[in-house]
Amino acid sequence: MGHLDHAAFGVLTPALSYLMAVIGAALGLRCTVRALGTTGRSRRNWLLTAASAIGTGIWTMHFVAMLGFAVRGTDIRFDVPLTILSLLVAMLVVGAGVFCVGYGRDRRRALLVGGLSTGVGVASMHYLGMAALRLHGSVDYDPLLVALSVAIAVVAATAALWAALNIRSPLAVAVASLVMGAAVSSMHYTGMLAVGVEVTPVTGELPGASAMQFIFPLAVGLGSYLFVTAAFVALSPAAGERAVPAGPGGPVSDASHRRSAATAAPDPRRTPAPTP
């Protein structure tokens, strides 16, 4: 049995992976809150942004953590197509859950269905990413720990969707994001504790790409996407803050525009009677 190291670079990779999970959760929650306050195309676009942010955050968390994964006695490579497929799975299943909540008429049912499908999908992303590992030896799993990791993923996903439905203030979103980041990281490391590797001494080159050749640049790119999206969400006005033209005086808010219109409208009770 090969010796597994889940933090080959110390606390760096666990801390960075947790940060990615928190940022993805925070963005997803804020975008879902914005979506629920709009309708039509705007709601769809916000939900798409939420799905991409959460899916990207979860995937980046997983593979940043995998940068610190090492097995004594063998190198590690990653199958590129399977790794890309795991990213697409993360976005698609999170999108399904977010859209279920965003458009579901029965919110309780939408929450249960969306949480279950998203949680199972997130776990599928994790184990699909693990299937992309290439090393000299064989990998097996502890079934009980695998089941526990799937259960954690379902609970975490359901809690995230519940927060999207019920939490509005930025401070509450921040707290929920910290909790969600911890839940997603717990799911990852529970799944990693289920891993066992039997190393087979073999000479020769492993297929696939190394973590620094492929995973690191992709994780940096997706992390940059999260930060750019965070800036966009922070600078984008909420529904009640959108400006409308107000003539030469410049834009005013919708609420100010309505107050001005109400002030300018004549009061029929105060209109002088016509002179006979």
Side-chain angles (χ1 to χ4, degrees):
M1 185 70 69
H3 174 73
L4 277 61
D5 188 350
H6 298 287
F9 299 105
V11 299
L12 178 62
T13 49
L16 283 178
S17 66
Y18 173 70
L19 178 62
M20 292 297 102
V22 169
I23 293 174
L27 282 175
L29 291 178
R30 290 302 298 163
C31 291
T32 306
V33 168
R34 296 286 183 90
L36 295 176
T38 60
T39 57
R41 182 180 299 177
S42 181
R43 172 173 289 197
R44 182 202 65 192
N45 291 341
W46 278 116
L47 290 176
L48 286 173
T49 305
S52 67
I54 298 175
T56 299
I58 291 172
W59 187 94
T60 306
M61 177 280 303
H62 171 81
F63 280 99
V64 167
M66 290 303 294
L67 290 175
F69 179 68
V71 180
R72 184 180 299 169
T74 178
D75 293 331
I76 293 177
R77 297 288 186 271
F78 293 88
D79 181 277
V80 174
L82 272 180
T83 304
I84 296 296
L85 180 60
S86 69
L87 173 60
L88 297 179
V89 167
M91 290 186 177
L92 287 175
V93 297
V94 171
V98 166
F99 271 79
C100 187
V101 166
Y103 287 101
R105 295 183 181 274
D106 185 340
R107 288 198 168 186
R108 180 175 297 179
R109 180 181 300 174
L111 182 61
L112 292 176
V113 174
L116 179 62
S117 62
T118 303
V120 171
V122 168
S124 300
M125 178 279 299
H126 173 88
Y127 289 105
L128 187 59
M130 291 301 295
L133 282 179
R134 297 292 179 264
L135 47 78
H136 293 305
S138 59
V139 179
D140 56 21
Y141 295 91
D142 183 322
L144 290 178
L145 287 176
V146 169
L148 179 60
S149 70
V150 174
I152 293 173
V154 171
V155 171
T158 304
L161 296 177
W162 178 89
L165 285 173
N166 295 281
I167 291 178
R168 292 292 181 269
S169 73
L171 178 59
V173 168
V175 173
S177 302
L178 293 174
V179 174
M180 288 310 306
V184 173
S185 296
S186 298
M187 177 266 160
H188 170 82
Y189 284 105
T190 301
M192 294 308 295
L193 287 176
V195 175
V197 177
E198 189 69 36
V199 176
T200 304
V202 176
T203 59
E205 190 72 19
L206 285 166
S210 70
M212 289 302 173
Q213 288 173 335
F214 174 59
I215 299 299
F216 180 72
L218 187 56
V220 169
L222 293 175
S224 301
Y225 164 76
L226 287 176
F227 281 106
V228 170
T229 305
F232 167 76
V233 173
L235 296 175
S236 178
E241 301 168 347
R242 297 187 184 280
V244 297
V252 297
S253 68
D254 289 341
S256 299
H257 182 72
R258 287 193 296 270
R259 286 196 299 268
S260 299
T263 304
D267 188 344
R269 294 173 299 179
R270 307 178 76 175
T271 303
T275 305

